[in-house]
Amino acid sequence: MADDLRQSAIDYHRFPIPGKLTIVPTKDMATQRDLALAYSPGVAIPCEEIAADPSKAWDYTARGNLVAVISNGTAVLGLGNIGALASKPVMEGKAVLFKKFAGIDSIDIEIDETDIDKIVDIVASLEPSFGGINLEDIKAPECFEIERRLKERMGIPVFHDDQHGTAIIVAAAVINWALITERDLANVKVATSGAGASALSCLDMLVSVGVKKENIIVNDRDGVIYTGRDNMDPYKARYAQDTKKRELKECLDGADVFLGLSAAGALKPDMIKDMAARPLILALANPTPEIMPDLAQEARPDAMIATGRSDYPNQVNNVLCFPFIFRGALDVGAKQINEEMKRAASRAIAELARQEANDLVSEAYGNSSLIFGPDYFIPKPFDPRLMVLVSMSVAKAAMESGMATRPITDWAAYEQQLTSFVNRTHLIMRPVYEMAKQDKKKVIYAEGEEQQVLRAVQVLVDERIAHPVLVGRRSVVSQRMERLGLRLTEGTDYTLVDPENDPRYHDYSEAYYKLMQRQGLTMMEARTLMRTNTTIIASMLLEKGEGDAMVCGVVGKYHSHLEHIVDIVGLREDVSVPAALVLLMLPKGNFFICDTHVNADPTAEEIAEMTLLAAEQIRRLGIEPKVALLSHSNFGSHAYHESAAKMQLALEILHRVAPDLEAEGEMQGDAAINPDIRDIIFPNSTLQGQANLLVMPNLDSANISFNLLKIIGGGVSVGPMLLGVKKPVHIVTPAVRSRGIVDITAHAAATVEAQRTGDTLYSDDLPQYGV
């Protein structure tokens, strides 16, 4: 296994190109004018502006979103003093984490120097280039002095993550442990193994959140740090106690917390047996902790345990905080990262662990049940909510403590900006959410027992988007809500329709039978289906007015759901076939693809009809549709082929019945996206710019295109949105996550609200075209 890891790591860093970083321009450099603006002579203008007002650098350069990761390689985690050059893979990795988790651009700088004065001079001279400095893997005690001097000399945040990152997470862990065990931090006794940069910073942070200094006793490799001990640097001496204890085992007698930042095996099982009830063991040595969790649990079954490892619960991982601390600090132009900002980060991280985990976090960790308690009191690094919660808390603390030079005035807009980074559908769906929230609609969920539906319901209730109506067995729904740690109350937060016990069963069975009796359905079959087929139950609830909209498809095949919906809810009078529309958000832009799920080989008339339905839906999102009818043929180049001829005929129909709709075809995909290619092939095209509604000749091409673009292009999707049904009904797919269910619910609820109010965003007054 070790050999495999070694080779995998080598290959990862070597291929396809060496390293983990590259530089990508944010502006086009496609023309001579672009060059003139990017460099000479145009570049002189922002230079003059910045010379006159240095704050303009935040407006005209990347400095405000750029952090330097700086190390001299003297204390690389787990490797020691390996030197500046050998530390470069670690620093590149840190830069990648900044970008991945917080959208911050970062450059690693390895300094081949150990003299404190020279390091400070080198780093301080970089201030014009960066918005922040992240010091990394510099040994103690030099790191303390380097950071102190740089904070005094520089007007941008300087943050030694080895010290403060770990400390912030440790403080969050202690806050939550105290809450679970009903401890008062002022009375908590802490025994520490290790007195390096990280350990001392952790102790400072614990004191900052309420632990008393006199209740902390520290051990280094020479034993207890006590008053009068020889050869102590001033940083350790701050925690010297007047005590007769000289060994770690003595310090643990009656201690509430063990904090280990020392060496593997430093804590033996017998040493923790005399700790206080329900102790906290923070064994943070990497890669092997002071005591392995299974040994600690065996010796003290009542203990709560955290390590630095990802293969055990409660990982103390700096990535929980440093990207988001810098995000908040940069966004307000903070001069420093001070104690108030660090405390705010700790409390925000602690608060997040107390919230139920969403499905992205659960899936990343093997669909485990993450409920606040002994096995989950530190949130997971891949929790996307860290970006919003921690960044906002840090930004507010910076402003309140006088550190901000560019204060935020619109917190709602800032929250939306952060949310849009972790949830790429947020920006385009914002108007939809606002519409849905105006009047909570009842939305029926056919698969009310499923985990992703239940997680979505919690979000819908918290954000006041809809009132969920769940179809599911009461015992199963209750059990799963409890397992997921959801805060939902039947009757108040949601309505439950239990197929095993509902007074409407006989009436609904008879009504369903009357609908289907001439399609070979018997009364016995109708009664059975009204007990067992949740899509039929949900459709009947919608048809009978027990809800305003419906969502299904989490379990089962798309067409099986669609068949029941068409039978019971029915199509609009002006529609002959339903269709499915998906929104795919790609780096190149936002694209709608039709029809990805319904019609295998539609006729030209059906393609025209579904295009009109899709255009109507897109306009309801506040976007003007630009239609490209796609084919392997370009404007008649293969007109003899049946599919190309079909798309040509569909275009003729669209031009006849919807002359105001910007539509063109038949054309290949590159011509639809790139107007330059289209101008060469067909300069008389009526389509201007990039198409945003891509209509495919058949189901194969639409579905294959959608799934390939989503995976290869790194796309995020909304939908599928079902078109042409009398009432708002949407069929999702089994791969949907809870956020996808929330998005489609908001869409359905907003549609109902628009139909009620006549709002222009979702208006029934849109052009109706008959084919």
Side-chain angles (χ1 to χ4, degrees), residues 193-210:
S193 175
S198 186
L200 293 174
S201 186
C202 285
L203 297 179
D204 290 343
M205 197 69 207
L206 291 180
V207 171
S208 180
V209 298

Side-chain angles (χ1 to χ4, degrees), residues 423 429 432-433 436 445 452-453 455-461 463 465-466 551 718 732 736-749:
N423 175 14
M429 292 294 290
V432 179
Y433 278 86
Y445 299 88
Q452 59 265 58
V453 174
R455 290 191 190 278
V457 166
Q458 183 69 71
V459 177
L460 293 165
V461 170
E463 298 185 10
I465 294 169
V551 176
V718 177
V732 296
V736 70
R737 289 191 170 104
S738 62
R739 176 48 63 176
I741 295 172
V742 172
D743 283 342
I744 206 68
T745 298
H747 186 278

Side-chain angles (χ1 to χ4, degrees), residues 167-173 175 205 209 341-351 390:
I168 287 164
I169 313 304
V170 163
I175 289 169
M205 197 69 207
V209 298
M341 294 161 73
K342 291 188 284 183
R343 276 200 303 271
S346 282
R347 288 171 179 151
I349 292 165
E351 179 187 335
V390 179

Side-chain angles (χ1 to χ4, degrees), residues 26 91 105 135 196 198 360 405 417 424 466 486 521 532 587 620 626 658 680 690 710 735 746 759:
T26 59
M91 304 311 132
D105 294 320
L135 300 175
S198 186
L360 285 174
T405 62
Q417 174 188 326
R424 286 166 55 190
L486 304 182
L521 188 77
T532 58
R620 284 178 170 168
K626 291 176 173 286
I680 294 171
Q690 180 176 270
K710 183 172 66 172
D759 189 279

Side-chain angles (χ1 to χ4, degrees), residues 42-57:
V43 74
I45 296 168
C47 290
E48 292 170 346
E49 293 275 323
I50 294 168
D53 180 1
S55 70
K56 292 290 185 183

